[in-house]
Amino acid sequence: MSVRDLIVLGSASAVPTKARNHNGYLLRWDGHGVLFDPGEGTQRQMSRAGVSAHDVTWICVTHFHGDHCLGVPGIVQRIARDGVEHTVDAAFPASGAQYWGRLRHAAAFRDTDVIRERPVSGERMPLDTGDAPFTLVARRLSHPVEAYGYRLEEPDGRTMLPAGLAARGVRGPMIRRLQDEGRITAPDGRTVTLDECSVPRPGQKVAFIMDTRLCDGVHELAGGVDMLVIESTFLHQDADLAAEYGHLTAAQAGAVAAEAGVRHLVLTHFSERYPAEEEHRYVDEASAVFGGDITLVHDLDRIPMPPRRLTGLQEGQD
């Protein structure tokens, strides 16, 4: 059974708190696991969440501030210790290769050769995902150190309509032929086209945006996604600090989601300066400008992808 969800392993910003670990987010996608920004303690959080090193197929680091990468040594060594046999691709800013090297070999251990490095550079860089059921793009953001956001997309497809197939006598292996060839001859001699028996199925899309000011990269990554996982380090009262340190406010995150047509806004990366009883203010500020679904995450939350939406004909129509 395929699973598509986001497991929150940590949601603090620079300083972890009693309730929030450093960053860490595992996006599970049909047997693949994309681990974003493993901060300090991620290995233990994975154990608490019931996921293992074998679930990780990608490690994507946005930048090399400690709260986004100090968990890399533990994850790498756990991959080695647990004998993970599949390739684990590791994407990170090329300008921080020296930091990646130090983290990758931070302590003595019996190493593994399954980790394949994928340094990213330039304004926008597609990553080769091979036969994975998604594409992955890194986009440059605006932070005091070089930082990238990531966008994962499933290719568009089509959903077959059982009523339309039955009405035309198309069944069994004929359905696969229709999908592959676009048209077939039905048992009664009629030509049946794929458009008559299916509707477009937009591919699902996720954007992961951590430390950044507002910039073109933020809007490009967020455009039309089903789920936007985005930092909201500050509240509006501290917007000047957010701009100075290269971060977003909850209100800015909400505005990005509204402008981009996002379906589900996921707020994370919270500053320790605000007490827990004021967390509702993040949602209040974001919801003032964004009318869609909003989740303010807590550690070990599991957030499912929004249900698919179809375009064009609805099932049962001919």
Side-chain angles (χ1 to χ4, degrees):
M1 180 178 178
S2 64
V3 174
R4 295 185 181 183
D5 62 7
L6 179 75
I7 300 177
V8 179
L9 304 171
S11 52
S13 55
V15 178
T17 68
K18 291 181 180 180
R20 295 186 182 278
N21 198 67
H22 263 172
N23 289 282
Y25 311 86
L26 180 65
L27 179 65
R28 298 192 297 177
W29 195 282
D30 296 356
H32 294 256
V34 185
L35 178 61
F36 294 102
D37 280 3
E40 183 180 354
T42 295
Q43 181 182 185
R44 183 170 185 273
Q45 292 292 87
M46 288 175 62
S47 296
R48 295 180 66 200
V51 295
S52 76
H54 292 275
D55 295 312
V56 177
T57 56
W58 278 83
I59 300 171
C60 293
V61 176
T62 61
H63 65 292
F64 286 105
H65 279 154
D67 52 321
H68 297 262
C69 66
L70 286 178
V72 167
I75 295 301
V76 168
Q77 293 179 36
R78 190 61 177 269
I79 288 170
R81 182 184 185 277
D82 288 0
V84 172
E85 295 182 351
H86 60 253
T87 298
V88 178
D89 290 287
F92 54 86
S95 62
Q98 61 176 326
Y99 300 116
W100 170 261
R102 293 170 185 168
L103 293 164
R104 171 76 175 77
H105 302 285
F109 68 106
R110 182 176 294 177
D111 207 351
T112 175
D113 61 2
V114 303
I115 295 177
R116 180 167 54 187
E117 297 180 357
R118 298 294 194 90
V120 299
S121 59
E123 288 298 305
R124 183 181 186 276
M125 180 174 169
L127 292 157
D128 181 3
T129 54
D131 60 358
F134 55 79
T135 62
L136 191 61
V137 170
R139 180 65 165 85
R140 180 75 182 271
L141 297 174
S142 174
H143 197 53
V145 300
E146 189 169 48
Y148 286 84
Y150 295 92
R151 179 182 173 106
L152 181 148
E153 291 192 25
E154 173 189 37
D156 294 338
R158 300 191 71 84
T159 297
M160 305 305 292
L161 302 177
L165 293 166
R168 294 163 178 81
V170 179
R171 60 180 63 86
M174 297 174 64
I175 298 175
R176 172 54 62 185
R177 284 180 48 216
L178 178 59
Q179 292 173 318
D180 292 342
E181 300 173 17
R183 64 178 60 236
I184 60 170
T185 301
D188 63 4
R190 287 186 296 169
T191 297
V192 178
T193 66
L194 183 61
D195 287 343
E196 294 176 297
C197 301
S198 66
V199 292
R201 185 190 69 220
Q204 291 187 310
K205 303 173 180 64
V206 179
F208 184 82
I209 299 173
M210 285 295 110
D211 300 15
T212 184
R213 304 174 183 88
L214 288 176
C215 62
D216 290 344
V218 169
H219 297 288
E220 181 180 325
L221 288 166
V225 298
D226 297 276
M227 181 184 290
L228 172 61
V229 185
I230 189 168
E231 68 126 312
S232 52
T233 309
F234 291 95
L235 294 171
H236 179 68
Q237 68 191 43
D238 295 311
D240 289 344
L241 279 178
E244 179 181 353
Y245 292 112
H247 286 287
L248 298 174
T249 67
Q252 289 172 326
V256 168
E259 182 179 336
V262 169
R263 297 178 64 197
H264 190 166
L265 172 62
V266 178
L267 301 176
T268 189
H269 195 274
F270 306 111
S271 171
E272 79 282 1
R273 72 181 57 240
Y274 308 111
E277 58 269 22
E278 293 188 10
E279 284 185 348
H280 67 90
R281 295 176 60 194
Y282 288 100
V283 176
D284 292 344
E285 290 189 3
S287 62
V289 289
F290 175 67
D293 292 336
I294 301 175
T295 296
L296 182 147
V297 305
H298 297 90
D299 289 10
L300 305 184
D301 279 354
R302 293 173 183 251
I303 306 168
M305 284 292 296
R308 287 189 180 279
R309 52 184 172 188
L310 301 180
T311 61
L313 296 172
Q314 298 301 308
E315 184 165 343
Q317 291 184 327
D318 292 336

